[in-house]
Amino acid sequence: VFLFRGLEEVGAVMSSASAVLTKQRDLLAKFVGTEPLSLQDRFWHELLTFSQPLPKLRPADVEEFIHPLCAQIVVNNDATHNFGKLLVHLVESLKSTPPAITDLPIKAVNTVYITRVFLKYFTEHSTGSQIIGLLCDPPTDESPKPKTTARSAVLKATIQALFEFIGTNKPSKSTYLLHLEVLNLLLVMTSTQLTSAPGTSGHETHPFLAAMMAETELAPMVLQALLTHYIERTPAPPNIPLYAADTPGMVSKVGSTAVSVLMMPFTLPYRGLFGAANAEAPAVESTAVLMDISVLLVLVLVHHDPGTQDPNNPFRTALNTCRDTDYDVVSPAKGQDTKEIIRVPFSALYDTLGACLVDDRSTLLLYSLIHGNSGFLDYVLVRTDLDTLLLPLLQMLYNASNRTANQIYMLLIILLILSQDSSFNANIHKLILPGVP
């Protein structure tokens, strides 16, 4: 009985996705076709006005419907430049969304979502140079010939709009879904690392990441916002039109692993970076989806190697120099502007890390902080409740058979860094455990 009910629910979701997308079939076909579309054409409003929020639909069904269209626009975009025009409308939709909006900005959400679906296809099936060709600046009256460069104006404007939205707008009940979609889009943009050879870098290989690294003024603000999402652990609002949250039935019964896969913006979510799933983690579905995506994006941005031509990574610099909000004295690094130094509450960050260390992403964030940020390392060493971090770390080592060699290595490095301090070594021997499992 359960199986038949589950199949009925999945069938209903699939028919719903098909119905919503079929209504836009002709408009989508025109978008990917051979006709160049004017930026001012009413077509764009009609194309991006779906009958309901697209994140509510089953992702696999949306991709199955859209992917044949993606293949067409790859062929036709050299003549139409319609994808670059879609990015222009994406920028406009984000800038026109007021921070104090009380209703769900459905058009902005759908614009970001449909852009993400197309870009996911491009990153999986195209090289960096081919993606650059799809991002060429649309022709204008002043410049009738489009510019095809690794640093196109439309790409720069898109990254800036996404960063500014994250850094200047606090998530609310109305904008939570839009924030989530913006982060998902940025994560998809960074996923060119999954389809390129290890160690490759530069604009020709990772055009989106290169554009992000070039935003040195916005990077600190973005990183502070992402760390704030992680610290606050804000759960998704009730009744949010999100597929995994809106279709309990069969999906919620298969466990947190399947649900998390369905909610990720691409099929292989940096598994090589974070290792296999944690077998000992409790099978509880996370409701703080904004936190989950934020910490993953932090790690991808901080650990990206820009290459030898421009080796500076502003996100890594921001993480390594961030200071405690309760500590007033700021000592900028040589050549660093005090405006670039971000502040986060170390106490809340410490508590969140301790509560989430069973997750590999939090473990890697802890390593990144104590390895690169001397201020946070000093803060950890003077805390009297060392068991907040130590007990989860030791428990994971105790269950080492459930972990990969890379995960164990990371845990040991964290303990090695902490044990270099003599006061830490003295304090941990004062901890009394009520029992050993």
Side-chain angles (χ1 to χ4, degrees):
V1 175
F2 164 72
L3 176 60
F4 284 118
R5 286 180 179 175
L7 291 175
E8 289 175 359
E9 292 171 359
V10 173
V13 173
M14 292 176 66
S15 61
S16 174
S18 177
V20 172
L21 296 170
T22 300
K23 291 179 180 178
Q24 304 292 97
R25 182 189 299 275
D26 293 340
L27 294 170
L28 287 167
K30 187 175 181 180
F31 167 63
V32 303
T34 58
E35 177 188 353
L37 301 167
S38 171
L39 274 171
Q40 290 73 37
D41 198 317
R42 181 169 175 76
F43 161 84
W44 296 103
H45 173 74
E46 297 173 353
L47 171 67
L48 301 172
T49 305
F50 290 84
S51 59
Q52 62 178 280
L54 293 179
K56 188 177 182 179
L57 307 179
R58 185 170 179 260
D61 295 334
V62 177
E63 291 187 8
E64 183 180 358
F65 188 95
I66 296 293
H67 275 191
L69 302 173
C70 296
Q72 291 183 42
I73 199 171
V74 169
V75 176
N76 297 327
N77 193 72
D78 286 344
T80 65
H81 314 294
N82 286 339
F83 187 75
K85 297 167 189 175
L86 174 63
L87 294 180
V88 172
H89 284 275
L90 167 66
V91 172
E92 292 177 353
S93 66
L94 290 176
K95 290 185 176 181
S96 62
T97 303
I101 190 172
T102 56
D103 298 322
L104 177 68
I106 296 180
K107 184 178 179 182
V109 168
N110 288 339
T111 303
V112 177
Y113 185 96
I114 202 71
T115 303
R116 170 164 66 85
V117 174
F118 275 92
L119 281 178
K120 176 180 179 292
Y121 179 90
F122 298 156
T123 57
E124 290 178 345
H125 298 86
S126 306
T127 64
S129 58
Q130 291 171 331
I131 294 175
I132 291 172
L134 293 164
L135 301 174
C136 61
D137 297 336
T140 62
D141 295 336
E142 295 79 12
S143 178
K145 293 184 178 181
K147 298 178 180 179
T148 306
T149 63
R151 305 193 186 197
S152 66
V154 69
L155 174 57
K156 180 179 177 65
T158 302
I159 298 299
Q160 288 180 344
L162 294 170
F163 279 0
E164 288 172 357
F165 180 82
I166 295 172
T168 60
N169 295 278
K170 187 176 177 62
S172 64
K173 290 183 179 179
S174 301
T175 62
Y176 190 98
L177 184 58
L178 181 55
H179 276 269
L180 183 61
E181 283 304 316
V182 167
L183 295 183
N184 280 341
L185 175 56
L186 287 169
L187 202 54
V188 166
M189 288 177 168
T190 67
S191 66
T192 52
Q193 297 177 104
L194 293 173
T195 56
S196 59
T200 56
S201 60
H203 299 82
E204 292 75 17
T205 308
H206 308 298
F208 299 109
L209 274 166
M212 294 178 196
M213 296 297 140
E215 297 299 329
T216 55
E217 294 184 2
L218 294 176
M221 176 178 67
V222 171
L223 188 72
Q224 183 168 20
L226 295 175
L227 289 175
T228 301
H229 295 337
Y230 175 73
I231 292 170
E232 293 180 349
R233 292 180 275 179
T234 305
N239 302 320
I240 184 173
L242 190 64
Y243 171 70
D246 194 57
T247 55
M250 184 178 182
V251 175
S252 64
K253 294 179 176 65
V254 297
S256 60
T257 302
V259 173
S260 64
V261 170
L262 289 170
M263 295 181 63
M264 288 304 295
F266 47 87
T267 308
L268 299 172
Y270 288 121
R271 187 173 300 170
L273 181 60
F274 303 109
N278 185 5
E280 69 192 54
V284 178
E285 180 180 337
S286 173
T287 59
V289 288
L290 194 63
M291 166 196 175
D292 297 336
I293 299 298
S294 294
V295 66
L296 184 57
L297 185 57
V298 166
L299 295 173
V300 171
L301 292 173
V302 167
H303 290 280
H304 173 65
D305 180 12
T308 56
Q309 293 181 347
D310 188 8
N312 178 50
N313 183 328
F315 299 94
R316 186 182 306 156
T317 301
L319 184 71
N320 291 346
T321 58
C322 73
R323 295 292 179 262
D324 192 356
T325 52
D326 299 326
Y327 188 63
D328 294 328
V329 179
V330 175
S331 301
K334 184 178 180 181
Q336 184 183 22
D337 190 345
T338 54
K339 296 180 181 179
E340 299 177 1
I341 298 178
I342 64 175
R343 292 178 176 273
V344 295
F346 280 3
S347 175
L349 179 58
Y350 180 90
D351 292 338
T352 302
L353 286 167
C356 302
L357 274 183
V358 291
D359 181 80
D360 293 330
R361 293 168 294 188
S362 293
T363 304
L364 184 53
L365 179 60
L366 173 61
Y367 164 79
S368 303
L369 283 164
I370 65 173
H371 178 265
N373 190 311
S374 58
F376 186 77
L377 175 60
D378 293 340
Y379 177 85
V380 171
L381 294 174
V382 299
R383 288 281 298 226
T384 56
D385 56 340
L386 290 174
D387 52 313
T388 300
L389 290 182
L390 275 182
L391 291 185
L393 290 173
L394 294 175
Q395 182 180 9
M396 287 186 284
L397 286 175
Y398 185 81
N399 296 287
S401 59
N402 296 327
R403 298 194 159 267
T404 66
N406 290 338
Q407 292 169 327
I408 297 174
Y409 175 78
M410 183 64 63
L411 296 172
L412 292 175
I413 290 296
I414 291 174
L415 291 175
L416 182 61
I417 293 175
L418 295 174
S419 63
Q420 291 177 343
D421 184 79
S422 57
S423 61
F424 172 85
N425 294 328
N427 289 332
I428 59 174
H429 287 89
K430 299 177 183 178
L431 294 176
I432 300 177
L433 298 179
V436 179

